[in-house]
Amino acid sequence: MVVEKACWPLKERQWLNFVVQEMLMDQINTLKVIDMGIDTHQEPVVYMRSDCHICRSEGFTANSRVMLRYGENSVIATLNVVDEQVLSSGSAGLSKSAMQRLDVDDGAAVSVDHAPVVTSLAAVRKKIFGHKLSDQEITAIVEDIGDHRYSDIEIASFLSVCAGSRLDVDEIISLTQAMVACGKRLNWPDEAMVLDKHCIGGLPGNRTTPLVVSIVSAVGLTIPKTSSRAITSPAGTADTMEALTTVNLELNEIQRVVAETHACLVWGGAVNLSPADDLLIRIERALDLDGEGQLIASVLSKKIAAGSTHAVIDIPVGPTAKVRSQKDAERLSSLFTQVGAACGIQIRCLITDGSQPVGLGIGPVEEARDVLAVLQCEENAPQDLRERALFLAAHLFSLAYQERYEQGLERAIAILDEGKAWQQFQRILAAQGGMKALPDASYQHTEAATAAGTLTAIDNRQLARLAKLAGAPATAAAGLRLHTCVGDKITVGQPLFTLCSDTIGEQQYAMDFYRQSTIFMIEKER
């Protein structure tokens, strides 16, 4: 016998109505997933038809932020509105990152709703109007960025205002600590001292890290190096090391490698040591921006998360380097030291010559060739790269052994010249999965000088751009190799550099830029 709903008690009828309404709302707010196959990098994007009933009912327009749910998973996505012929009725297209974060398959049903209000954006607006941010406000911003609640535009706003109006030392400390708190951390309970080094960048080819790590760890000192990929350069340490071995290691694998060798040379982004920073770096790369406060917080958060207790920071200064003046370098050095002390890590900053590139190779593979040449003490190895690495290693020895710099330098030279650093580098590569063969670029073009004289300067920024236009670092073999250095006498027809690229189109594009620029300054003889 069927019992009529009207005969049910009032409380049961109210409950049933509620359940039915919820089921109807689930159906109304549900769309079938279509994998669009579009790479939007780390920003989740949803594509919906302009006549979609959800868009019309909820008032969603292009660039609206919407909440997508599938089972227990949810993600805030940016809405892109498409023409009716692009998607079938009742469907929603998802970008690759949205598909991955929801862990959803093509054809499944996802619910769509308004995104929750991101209250920390009020703090970003506060900073735009020139006000200082509190610890709590900066923590909220970093947590929301790390949880993917910010769109790329909102992240860009935060980065831009921090670079333009500068963070003070208290804000940088808060930003550093918030970045550390939102990620994982490496711990080395058996080590009283854990060393690290970093160069703030701006010098093409300055690939000292693999050399310093090999020299320092060869005597048993612990230096677990987690590095970033390139932000504004043709190669980062992780890009160069990836041309030689595996750098995407899990936390337990990193701990194994360090236990075996006292060191590692890995990509920090693979283990979420500072996930919010990785999201910020992605936008910095697009903006070609590296603000002072964000730079310090980025560097130190990675060092602290890696468990480092002592670190050397290389700050190159030059007219076309990232830091242009001695005054700016001293300010940066002071901030690094203050923020490091507040966060429990001892920092020694070294202000160095940044007037020209370091080494001869620019780009992941070409820089790897220089590293191998120095480690193997080859006759044609770039001496400036060797000397810079020895200088930094000597300062780390000075910190570790409380000895004079000169003693540390003697120790570093002996380790390199006796082949111990090369042996140690091979051990590290073997522990990380073995050494790869370096590939050659498909297209190589050697450019010759058209004027005679003395090479007086090389523009670091334009040289880096030339290598990037050739395809570096996305294509590991792309970049360039220099055939001359500042101070050399140049003759007409003498090779200046060899450009390496994967396609003829990239080669032509890069060479068009070169012909319109002034990268090599040659002072003609009188």
Side-chain angles (χ1 to χ4, degrees):
M1 181 179 69
V2 178
V3 178
E4 294 292 336
K5 187 172 70 171
C7 299
W8 289 14
L10 177 61
K11 187 174 293 186
E12 279 77 358
R13 291 204 306 272
Q14 290 174 333
W15 176 83
L16 182 59
N17 286 333
F18 171 77
V19 171
V20 171
Q21 288 171 6
E22 286 293 301
M23 292 174 65
L24 287 172
M25 285 302 296
D26 284 344
Q27 292 174 355
I28 291 170
N29 282 8
T30 298
L31 296 172
K32 185 177 71 173
V33 167
I34 294 178
D35 184 353
M36 299 293 284
I38 298 176
D39 185 0
T40 55
H41 203 32
Q42 290 173 300
E43 181 176 27
V45 174
V46 58
Y47 304 86
M48 295 166 64
R49 288 166 52 128
S50 56
D51 66 344
C52 174
H53 64 280
I54 298 178
C55 284
R56 297 167 77 105
S57 300
E58 300 288 358
F60 293 146
T61 57
N63 277 336
S64 291
R65 300 283 281 166
V66 300
M67 174 69 81
L68 305 177
R69 289 190 177 88
Y70 176 72
E72 297 296 319
N73 299 327
S74 64
V75 64
I76 297 175
T78 299
L79 172 63
N80 283 0
V81 177
V82 300
D83 292 339
E84 296 172 15
Q85 65 267 27
V86 177
L87 292 171
S88 58
S89 179
S91 62
L94 298 187
S95 67
K96 287 183 178 181
S97 60
M99 294 287 293
Q100 292 166 358
R101 287 183 59 78
L102 280 176
D103 193 20
V104 65
D105 294 322
D106 209 32
V110 295
S111 64
V112 184
D113 206 343
H114 286 273
V117 175
V118 182
T119 56
S120 67
L121 284 170
V124 176
R125 289 189 285 274
K126 174 182 174 181
K127 189 63 182 175
I128 289 172
F129 287 102
H131 302 291
K132 181 174 178 175
L133 299 181
S134 67
D135 292 351
Q136 294 78 12
E137 288 169 328
I138 290 176
T139 298
I141 290 170
V142 171
E143 287 178 349
D144 283 341
I145 290 173
D147 288 338
H148 296 264
R149 297 192 184 103
Y150 275 41
S151 68
D152 284 1
I153 293 173
E154 290 161 346
I155 294 175
S157 298
F158 175 64
L159 287 171
S160 298
V161 70
C162 289
S165 59
R166 281 186 174 178
L167 302 175
D168 68 16
V169 66
D170 293 330
E171 290 173 311
I172 299 172
I173 291 169
S174 297
L175 183 59
T176 304
Q177 293 172 335
M179 285 182 176
V180 173
C182 78
K184 297 178 182 177
R185 295 187 69 168
L186 288 167
N187 293 297
W188 312 101
D190 297 330
E191 303 293 340
M193 178 179 290
V194 179
L195 302 175
D196 211 330
K197 62 82 58 180
H198 184 83
C199 175
I200 67 165
L203 290 190
N206 189 22
R207 201 51 55 219
T208 56
T209 294
L211 301 170
V212 173
V213 168
S214 301
I215 293 168
V216 170
S217 62
V219 294
L221 293 174
T222 299
I223 180 166
K225 190 71 181 76
T226 60
S227 300
S228 298
R229 298 190 184 277
I231 302 176
T232 58
S233 70
T237 297
D239 301 306
T240 298
M241 285 305 304
E242 192 167 44
L244 289 164
T245 191
T246 305
V247 296
N248 294 2
L249 301 185
E250 300 292 335
L251 281 174
N252 62 326
E253 293 175 312
I254 292 174
Q255 291 168 328
R256 174 187 57 77
V257 172
V258 175
E260 293 176 10
T261 68
H262 298 284
C264 65
L265 286 155
V266 301
W267 175 46
V271 288
N272 282 330
L273 292 182
S274 185
D277 184 47
D278 294 327
L279 293 169
L280 294 174
I281 285 174
R282 177 175 60 87
I283 304 302
E284 284 182 307
R285 185 182 293 114
L287 295 174
D288 198 15
L289 180 71
D290 204 1
E292 174 189 87
Q294 169 58 24
L295 183 154
I296 294 168
S298 174
V299 170
L300 293 185
S301 67
K302 295 281 177 67
K303 304 297 170 220
I304 296 164
S308 302
T309 60
H310 297 71
V312 163
I313 307 293
D314 180 11
I315 306 177
V317 181
T320 58
K322 187 175 291 185
V323 179
R324 305 291 184 89
S325 69
Q326 184 73 16
K327 180 180 178 181
D328 288 342
E330 290 171 356
R331 170 184 165 80
L332 200 58
S333 175
S334 175
L335 286 171
F336 262 117
T337 304
Q338 290 180 69
V339 175
C343 295
I345 179 171
Q346 184 176 332
I347 299 297
R348 178 182 291 186
C349 291
L350 306 170
I351 298 174
T352 58
D353 177 20
S355 61
Q356 60 180 306
V358 178
L360 300 172
I362 315 294
V365 166
E366 293 305 314
E367 292 176 27
R369 296 190 201 280
D370 282 354
V371 168
L372 295 177
V374 171
L375 284 169
Q376 295 176 66
C377 299
E378 293 180 3
E379 188 176 337
N380 62 346
Q383 291 305 298
D384 58 344
L385 179 63
R386 169 190 162 93
E387 290 170 7
R388 201 176 192 93
L390 289 170
F391 170 76
L392 296 171
H395 275 284
L396 281 173
F397 283 142
S398 175
L399 277 175
Y401 296 124
Q402 294 297 297
E403 62 187 15
R404 291 182 296 106
Y405 164 76
E406 290 76 15
Q407 291 174 287
L409 183 59
E410 288 178 9
R411 188 190 301 269
I413 291 172
I415 292 168
L416 184 58
D417 288 348
E418 293 170 10
K420 294 178 181 177
W422 170 231
Q423 294 171 4
Q424 174 65 359
F425 187 68
Q426 290 175 292
R427 281 193 287 269
I428 295 170
L429 295 190
Q432 290 186 200
M435 184 171 177
K436 302 176 184 176
L438 294 175
D440 292 318
S442 301
Y443 295 88
Q444 299 186 23
H445 167 77
T446 299
E447 184 70 9
T450 58
T454 302
L455 182 61
T456 57
I458 298 176
D459 189 308
N460 288 314
R461 290 172 180 257
Q462 292 193 69
L463 187 70
R465 180 161 173 74
L466 178 62
K468 289 194 287 183
L469 292 176
T475 301
L480 58 88
R481 177 153 291 273
L482 295 169
H483 299 303
T484 187
C485 301
V486 172
D488 288 354
K489 296 290 184 181
I490 305 297
T491 58
V492 174
Q494 178 179 336
L496 292 176
F497 66 91
T498 296
L499 189 77
C500 305
S501 57
D502 196 42
T503 67
I504 191 67
E506 287 171 315
Q507 180 189 98
Q508 292 172 346
Y509 192 65
M511 288 308 300
D512 285 344
F513 166 77
Y514 170 73
R515 295 184 184 102
Q516 296 171 23
S517 60
T518 308
I519 297 176
F520 299 90
M521 275 64 81
I522 299 175
E523 186 176 298
K524 295 181 180 180
E525 296 176 349
R526 296 177 181 177

